[in-house]
Amino acid sequence: MAQTEVMPVAQEPLIGRPGDPCVMVIFGAAGDLTRRKLFPALYNLARQNLLSREFAVVGLARNPMSTDEFRQKVAQDMKEFATGDVDPSLSDWFVRHTHYLTGDFGDPQVYSQLKALLQQVDNDHCTHGNYFYYLATAPDFFGSIVEQLAAAGLMEENKEQWRRVIIEKPFGRDLESARALNQQLLRVAREQQIYRIDHYLGKETVQNILAFRFANGIFEPIWNRRYIDNIQISVAETVGVEKRGGYYDRSGALRDMVPNHIMQLISLTAMEPPISFQADAVRDEQAKILHAIQPLSSEDVLSRTVRGQYGEGVVDGHRVPAYRAEQDVPPDSRTETYVAMKLQIDNWRWADVPFYLRTGKSMPVRNTHIVIQFRRAPFVLFRGTQVGDLTPNQLVLHIQPEEGISLHFAAKVPGPVMHLGGVNMNFEYADYFGKLPSTGYERLLHDCMIGDATLFQRADMVEAGWSVVSPVLDVWKALPPRNFPNYAAGTWGPREADDLLARDGRHWRNFEK
Ligand code: BG6
């Protein structure tokens, strides 16, 4: 076996163990995800001593390129997309550990070439025969790539070597297709080999929901229907569909964001404490929540969901076109770019506590947050003051771009009369921990390299997410919208979304800049 090259000493102290020796095979290596996220994330891991010295990458894509050309591209991309300073010796080390294979994912021959290349790379870099495949491809290829890998013997594991596959979203486009894909994968691989990625779970602030709830004793006792009035989850984006009109118009906001990212936020916020931090213990509790979401009847879809599409408007001081005028979007498109819903979770903790959620493109600010709104004090002691006008206590988990937690409560305004005002207590990550350069993919890649699937979706969870949105997809398909576009870009979505809460005597908490 060849000797492993010595990796230049990384600068950051070691926290956690490095990933196992392994080869990462990236299907779709010439694409944006690889250069913008995957390579910078691998580099950050190397820098934090979390990447094994016995590590290599094989990039695979249709674009004809030699390994040398690929390496030049990786070196160039690394400079452009690194999230912090690039240490030239570490970057050179990384680049020398990359290889490239030109090929069509549908061509069986490619898999025998890949097998031969992997043997050579494995030998050169002492990676112990451990491989993981990252499918950064169009979703149509997911099932067939895994089938072909299995047919070539590239999914076979033994006591000494593991084989895993990371699958990007979208995982299906409805319940039926997600089920079919799960079945296709599980015919040739074990569930433990499949890592269904949701990049929201790579976000520090999303992972912190678990730490906040379960590493502190003071929140759990009040984290239930007795004290909580409602929960609001908002994922607002200022961007439109950018250059993804072709994909987005077939997807829409509901499919694009709800069964995956928003379901993660709901399940982490609402789950019971797991009995351990083992992958299945955590995922069992998340899955229970998804199964406990009350199925929407057709009438519920009409009364508890809102869809919208943006017309032209002004975002961040710039005029932006209507969705229907975006590249690759038909001028009469009926695809929604905004969705709001009211869901109920049928269990003892959450019965009758509405979960309001919304997500949209071309909103006035980019802001993802979860508002936990508490019930009002049981007795209005401060009658005659403006207490009735005060917003109730709210705990806000700021996911992005602000990263932190704030608590909103009432305080006495200084002065001779009793007068109350709303104040905030704020915690910001950056103030305490500084900012670690991150793409959001580091933790997920590292977890895959150490075999920890906690932050990845199990087959049942993906299907449960789709079950929640399925009735909505059906009703919306049967009743195409007639009022699109129904919100101007740069506003908080259609009026009906405000009405959804107003009917319950509530309103959205919006965060302006
Ligand atoms: C992706 C969606 O999964 O998530 C995009 O396809 C969306 O439409 C993106 O913009 C949002 O991710 P983030 O990390 O920017 O909140």
Side-chain angles (χ1 to χ4, degrees), residues 226-227 229 374-382 387 390-393 410 420:
R226 202 154 162 214
Y227 299 99
D229 178 77
F374 291 91
R375 293 184 187 280
R376 285 177 191 278
F379 169 60
V380 187
L381 182 64
F382 299 98
V387 71
L390 282 174
T391 50
N393 295 132
L420 301 180

Side-chain angles (χ1 to χ4, degrees), residues 275-403:
I275 54 164
S276 76
F277 265 117
Q278 295 290 315
D280 275 334
V282 175
R283 299 190 300 178
D284 284 348
E285 296 306 335
Q286 285 184 276
K288 278 190 212 160
I289 286 295
L290 299 176
H291 287 297
I293 294 177
Q294 206 176 79
L296 296 175
S297 66
S298 306
E299 291 74 36
D300 292 336
V301 174
L302 299 178
S303 62
R304 295 200 206 161
T305 70
V306 173
R307 54 188 153 163
Q309 186 193 77
Y310 60 85
E312 64 170 329
V314 177
V315 179
D316 267 343
H318 300 286
R319 265 225 97 66
V320 299
Y323 173 70
R324 289 177 174 177
E326 300 270 17
Q327 188 183 325
D328 299 328
V329 173
D332 57 352
S333 169
R334 290 167 159 181
T335 299
E336 80 286 353
T337 59
Y338 176 97
V339 47
M341 294 168 111
K342 172 180 166 184
L343 296 178
Q344 301 277 159
I345 295 179
D346 281 343
N347 67 13
W348 277 51
R349 190 191 279 260
W350 297 115
D352 300 327
V353 178
F355 281 65
Y356 300 105
L357 50 100
R358 61 178 170 170
T359 181
K361 300 275 186 199
S362 290
M363 304 264 98
V365 288
R366 173 169 182 254
N367 202 316
T368 300
H369 60 259
I370 302 172
V371 177
I372 322 285
Q373 178 157 322
F374 291 91
R375 293 184 187 280
R376 285 177 191 278
F379 169 60
V380 187
L381 182 64
F382 299 98
R383 232 182 280 274
T385 68
Q386 288 169 338
V387 71
D389 303 338
L390 282 174
T391 50
N393 295 132
Q394 290 175 336
L395 182 76
V396 186
L397 310 178
H398 299 273
I399 309 286
Q400 63 182 21
E402 279 76 37
E403 302 191 323

Side-chain angles (χ1 to χ4, degrees), residues 403-433:
E403 302 191 323
I405 293 170
S406 61
L407 182 65
H408 184 78
F409 58 96
K412 180 181 174 301
V413 178
V417 286
M418 189 57 167
H419 185 63
L420 301 180
V423 296
N424 281 318
M425 211 152 75
N426 286 331
F427 150 74
E428 282 186 32
Y429 276 84
D431 294 344
Y432 280 79
F433 305 117

Side-chain angles (χ1 to χ4, degrees), residues 70-82:
F70 185 61
R71 287 181 176 175
Q72 280 167 24
K73 178 172 147 49
V74 175
Q76 195 49 45
D77 291 344
M78 194 76 96
K79 285 195 199 120
E80 194 175 342
F81 296 107

Side-chain angles (χ1 to χ4, degrees), residues 10 29 33 88 95 121 140 179 182 221 241 319 408-409 460 477 497:
L33 183 72
V95 167
V121 171
D140 298 348
R179 259 192 201 141
N182 274 330
V241 289
R319 265 225 97 66
H408 184 78
F409 58 96
D460 58 325
K477 189 171 168 204

Side-chain angles (χ1 to χ4, degrees), residues 153-172:
L154 287 169
M155 289 299 292
E156 263 165 45
E157 299 187 298
N158 59 39
K159 279 206 198 90
E160 268 90 50
Q161 60 192 30
W162 50 256
R163 306 283 160 86
R164 298 174 187 142
V165 55
I166 300 186
I167 301 194
E168 266 291 338
K169 81 175 258 276
F171 196 95

Side-chain angles (χ1 to χ4, degrees), residues 37 168-169 198-200 203 235-237 239-242 244 247-248 251 256-257 260-261 361 366 368 400:
K37 302 286 183 189
E168 266 291 338
K169 81 175 258 276
D198 183 316
H199 81 278
Y200 258 60
K203 294 182 195 291
V235 181
E237 298 186 274
V239 289
V241 289
E242 299 172 298
R244 301 161 69 226
Y247 151 77
Y248 196 88
S251 164
D256 190 44
M257 300 297 286
N260 33 64
H261 309 325
K361 300 275 186 199
R366 173 169 182 254
T368 300
Q400 63 182 21

